[in-house]
Amino acid sequence: MYKMSRQLLALFICMMLGTGISMAGTTDRTAVAAEKGMQRLERPFSMAFTIGPNFNTGGSEHGDVFGVRPEVCTQFDCRLGFGVARGWSVYADLGLSFYTLKVDNIGEGFANALLNALLPGYGSIHTSVAAGGAYLWQPGRFLLSPRAGIGWYHVKKGESSGRLDNGVRVEYDRRIAVPTFNAGLSVGFRTSRICTLIMDLNYRCPLARASANVTTTTGDGVTTAKKFRSGSWGNDLSLSVGVQFNVEMN
C-alpha cells in the first residue's frame, strides 16, 4: 500500500512541477484577463464548497481490528484561501467523509447501533483538516491552482468491547487519527466577477500509521495484549466539483 502511495505522490509532484514550468513561461499578457469587464484576481479571499467521490487507495490493513471502510464514499470540503502576494495564497480546509465502518466484533456492532439510534448519522461522519500554500494561474476566464499542505485525518473509533460465545472478553483501544500530506489541483471557470465553477482533485498520504491495542481476557482470568498498526487510514483520492467565491482583498 505504501508503494502505491509513493507512486501517487510522485505523480502529483510531477504534475505540480509541470504546472510551475508553465507558469514561469507565462508573461504579463495573461493579465488581459479582463474579458467583458472580468478583472484579474491579485490577492483574493476565496471560499470553495466541493462534493464528490472519495476513493480508498490505502486498502484495509488489519481490517478485522480497525474495521473496513468502503472502497468509495462521499467527500465534502469547505476550503478558505487568503491571498498573501500576487498569485500566492495560504489555505485552510475542513473535510467531511461519509461512510460506515464494517466491523466484526460484537461490542463494536452494538456500540455503533446505539450511537446511530441516539444521533442518526453521527457515527458515519469522519473529519479531516489541512492547511498549506497554493498558487493561482489565470489564463483568461480559467483558474488553475495547484496546492500542497499538511493535514490531520480522524475516524470516530474509540474503545469498544464484546464477549464472545466461549466467554472470552476482547477489548479494543483504537487510535485512528494520523497526520497527512495533502496535494491537490483545482481547475475553475469564472462565470462572474465573484463566482467560479470548479473541479478539484486531492490526494491524501499518511505520514504515520494508525494504532490499536487489543486485550483478550479468558474465563480463567488470563490476559494477553497485542498492538497493531495500519497504514491504510488517511490514504485516499478525491475527485469533486463545486463552486468557489472570490473577493479581492486589495
Side-chain angles (χ1 to χ4, degrees):
M1 298 307 170
Y2 274 99
K3 182 178 180 181
M4 180 184 294
S5 300
R6 290 195 296 267
Q7 292 173 343
L8 288 172
L9 181 58
L11 177 60
F12 269 99
I13 292 175
C14 290
M15 289 172 59
M16 289 189 166
L17 288 176
T19 301
I21 293 173
S22 298
M23 293 171 187
T26 304
T27 64
D28 286 341
R29 64 174 177 272
T30 57
V32 188
E35 180 183 340
K36 296 182 180 180
M38 192 85 64
Q39 293 184 352
R40 179 185 176 89
L41 297 171
E42 298 293 341
R43 295 177 58 241
F45 165 77
S46 63
M47 178 181 292
F49 301 94
T50 59
I51 191 169
N54 174 281
F55 303 93
N56 177 20
T57 56
S60 56
E61 185 179 9
H62 296 304
D64 55 331
V65 175
F66 291 91
V68 179
R69 61 149 286 180
E71 291 301 316
V72 183
C73 70
T74 300
Q75 176 77 23
F76 171 81
D77 282 273
C78 174
R79 187 170 58 255
L80 302 179
F82 304 87
V84 294
R86 184 176 181 180
W88 294 95
S89 64
V90 294
Y91 75 89
D93 183 285
L94 171 65
L96 302 176
S97 302
F98 300 87
Y99 61 85
T100 301
L101 290 177
K102 297 179 181 179
V103 292
D104 295 329
N105 61 80
I106 298 172
E108 184 67 14
F110 176 76
N112 275 343
L114 180 61
L115 180 62
N116 286 326
L118 297 176
L119 297 171
Y122 176 79
S124 301
I125 304 175
H126 311 285
T127 58
S128 60
V129 293
Y135 187 87
L136 177 62
W137 185 38
Q138 305 175 65
R141 280 178 173 258
F142 289 93
L143 303 181
L144 180 63
S145 180
R147 66 181 184 275
I150 299 297
W152 188 262
Y153 180 80
H154 177 261
V155 175
K156 291 187 181 71
K157 213 66 178 170
E159 293 186 4
S160 63
S161 62
R163 184 175 296 277
L164 305 184
D165 293 338
N166 59 3
V168 176
R169 181 178 180 82
V170 182
E171 297 180 348
Y172 298 82
D173 182 11
R174 303 178 181 87
R175 295 292 182 265
I176 309 181
V178 295
T180 61
F181 173 78
N182 296 48
L185 179 65
S186 183
V187 179
F189 180 78
R190 299 181 69 184
T191 59
S192 68
R193 184 172 58 86
I194 64 172
C195 184
T196 303
L197 299 179
I198 62 172
M199 180 172 66
D200 191 81
L201 183 68
N202 185 78
Y203 175 62
R204 192 159 43 195
C205 175
L207 298 177
R209 289 173 172 263
S211 64
N213 295 314
V214 180
T215 304
T216 303
T217 305
T218 66
D220 298 331
V222 179
T223 299
T224 58
K226 290 185 179 180
K227 187 169 186 176
F228 297 85
R229 291 187 178 276
S230 173
S232 299
W233 303 96
N235 192 330
D236 51 46
L237 179 70
S238 297
L239 178 62
S240 54
V241 295
V243 61
Q244 177 174 299
F245 301 98
N246 307 297
V247 178
E248 189 61 59
M249 297 176 62
N250 288 338

